[in-house]
Amino acid sequence: MGRPRLARLHGVCTSYEPAPGRTVHVGDDTVVAVLAALGVDASTPHAVRAALETYEHGAARALLPPTVVVRPGRPPDLSRLPDGTALRVETGPGEVLDWGLDPSGRPDYAYRPPAGDARDARRAPGRHRPRTAEPRGYVGRLPLGVHTLRAHTPDGRSARAHLIVAPDRMPAPPGRTHGFMVQLYSLLSARSWGMGDLGDLAELAAWSGRALGTGFVQINPLHAAVPGAPTDPSPYRPSSRRFPDPVHLRIEDIPEFGLLEGAARTRAGELLAAAGKLRERVLGEGALIDRDAVWDLKKQALELLWKVPLGPGRRAAYCDFLAGQGAGLEDHATWCALAERYGPDWRSWPAGLDDPRSARTARMRGSLLDRIDFHSRLAWYTDQQLAAAQRAAREAGMDIGLVHDLAVGVHPSGSDTWAQRDAFAAGMSVGAPPDAFNSRGQDWGLPPWRPDALAAQGYAPYRGLLHGLLRNAGALRIDHVMGLFRLWWVPEGRPPTEGAYVRYDAEAMLSVLALEAHRAGAAVIGEDLGTVEPVVRTELAERGVLGTSVLWFERDYTDAAARPLPPDSWRADCLATVTTHDLPSTAARLTGQHAELRDRLGLLDRPLQDERAAEAVEVGEWLELLGRLGLLPEGQANEEGAVKALHRYLLRTPARMVGVWLPDAVGDRRPQNLPGTSDEYPNWRLPVADAEGRPLTLEEIAASPRLHALMRELGAPRP
């Protein structure tokens, strides 16, 4: 019984339910390995007893947990503090507040301005503010933010904790809206360098907002990739989630480009010509998007731009950016510089360089100052163009603008794991347990955050990540949002079937998210598809996190036939879509072409005719419902009419956001990503194409009659 108890105390689950009513117990070897990754030895009965004793004499008796969370209506449980304990809060801005305990032992956090506070002068003489009334940006008398909490007991003991004061909910989208979803690399214009870029994103936002009345553009993660050739093209396995990848830059939009002279200008012209050929191969010759080739050209151009002196105003803006980003950017740029010299896997670097705080790394920083400045400059350029894209979206009338995407994790050899090594669980990988759809489970090759390390640091790595992503966003989509509650940890060298769930402090994770979203004024969308604990969706809804509802999955599972869910039974707080980047395009599903594709690649576990028959039944059920609701006047045989009807159906639901997969709008048949494949299919390397598979430029997409016919169904252009 000792090991299960020890596991429970550290958030390690010793069983899980792959399906309702079916429990699977986790093997002892897995529990031991996961606990070891959390710094707990459970390898022998003696070690278990020692670890339990350490816990009982340490964490269990601590006056304060490492991080305390406060939000409206949810004061923290500080029952371990004895009567007479004095609490003091040192706020981020430097104010010191006394925070007493009420008779029940809970913090008395009703709002009482300090003596002489200007807020007192605004109240009529003799009037008292009700205890429930709080100024904006406060919870009780505590300002929103991250502070330090100190406790001093009558018997002389003291303790210190991080204090997170957060709003109760995420900001809500400003009314009902609709917009496009697109993988940015796939959106090439006549000016792209072989893949879509931030200039293309700004153009898409400006055009669609003004001409179509869209309220947002949701894109794939723009996180920094692991360098090297070939680079992993997946945007969901990055080197760093804290900083965007400069491969997305529009080179000509960088102000220093216009200041190039002499040989540098001639060389820039040669690079532009080479980029034109690369673009033509993708758009005109059927070549795949080659991220490495694009980056090779852009990096050469950026080396030229970096040598152009910045004007006084630009220099001041760059210095402000460096100061604002602090040590996080310096670490990332240092990793990039070291990766240029020693390769992209820091685990194979010379001794000492695997530690960003070592003396050897400090010496290397000194010798690599120019390269560190180069990579810092690229981060600044990218941040500026992201800001310009969001500004273009808002100026076009979009209520939300850019919706950025947060991947579930990072590459084990990348920048984030090097700079924040203590925050990640060594020897572990995030994945998914076996379920009805995948009996072998999944291993995504991404090291998980240690929940204990996050709490000890006041969730600083998580806060910094969110702050950076929300700088230039109107909303944030969180991939696998269930990871805020628990993640499936797979020990290195074991199959994904031999993993275990590790729980995170969801109250803290959601409160930090609410705090950063509040500061940015951004909505939050959680990707909650698949097997999700019921309490998770309930908690997310209560905290204002929108869900993700994909039409094909929205069925009434209380009905034995699992018929399509009527539109008025959908949840309102969601982003509703017909498909996503991981699913077949709508045209391919309607025609059965995606079943043929999967059959050619050997992905079916039954004969093609059986697969097509089953999918024809599924599609037929939806088309029958659309016809019954009067949403399919074109008839079931009309493919474009059926695509319109499915989106008309989304408008019948109460969903606050309706997303249109941009390839659907022009009839593209090909999925951007086909789960279960790697080299067998060109995942993450296809440009948006028409129904015949011909790649389309952004200019052609904007002129597409098929797109305009679909978008007229969703709303009128803005006046």
Side-chain angles (χ1 to χ4, degrees), residues 343-375:
D345 189 348
W346 61 263
R347 297 168 298 184
S348 64
W349 290 353
L353 294 182
D354 59 345
D355 180 359
R357 305 292 169 247
S358 72
R360 184 169 187 179
T361 299
R363 290 193 296 271
M364 288 300 297
R365 287 183 199 266
S367 65
L368 294 172
L369 282 178
D370 281 352
R371 299 311 298 166
I372 292 172
D373 181 67
F374 172 72
H375 291 289

Side-chain angles (χ1 to χ4, degrees), residues 2-70:
R3 187 174 288 147
R5 179 168 177 263
L6 185 63
R8 185 173 63 256
L9 291 172
H10 291 278
V12 180
C13 302
T14 56
S15 65
Y16 67 96
E17 292 188 6
R22 179 169 171 249
T23 300
V24 175
H25 294 281
V26 176
D28 283 348
D29 289 348
T30 296
V31 173
V32 170
V34 172
L35 283 171
L38 292 168
V40 179
D41 184 2
S43 58
T44 67
H46 174 75
V48 169
R49 288 193 296 272
L52 286 170
E53 185 175 344
T54 298
Y55 182 88
E56 294 295 343
H57 287 84
R61 294 188 180 182
L63 291 172
L64 294 173
T67 294
V68 174
V69 176
V70 175

Side-chain angles (χ1 to χ4, degrees), residues 117 288 399 450 482 489 527 602 653 679 717:
D117 193 309
L288 298 176
D399 295 326
R450 286 181 54 163
M482 296 80 78
W489 288 22
E527 186 274 295
T653 74
D679 297 335

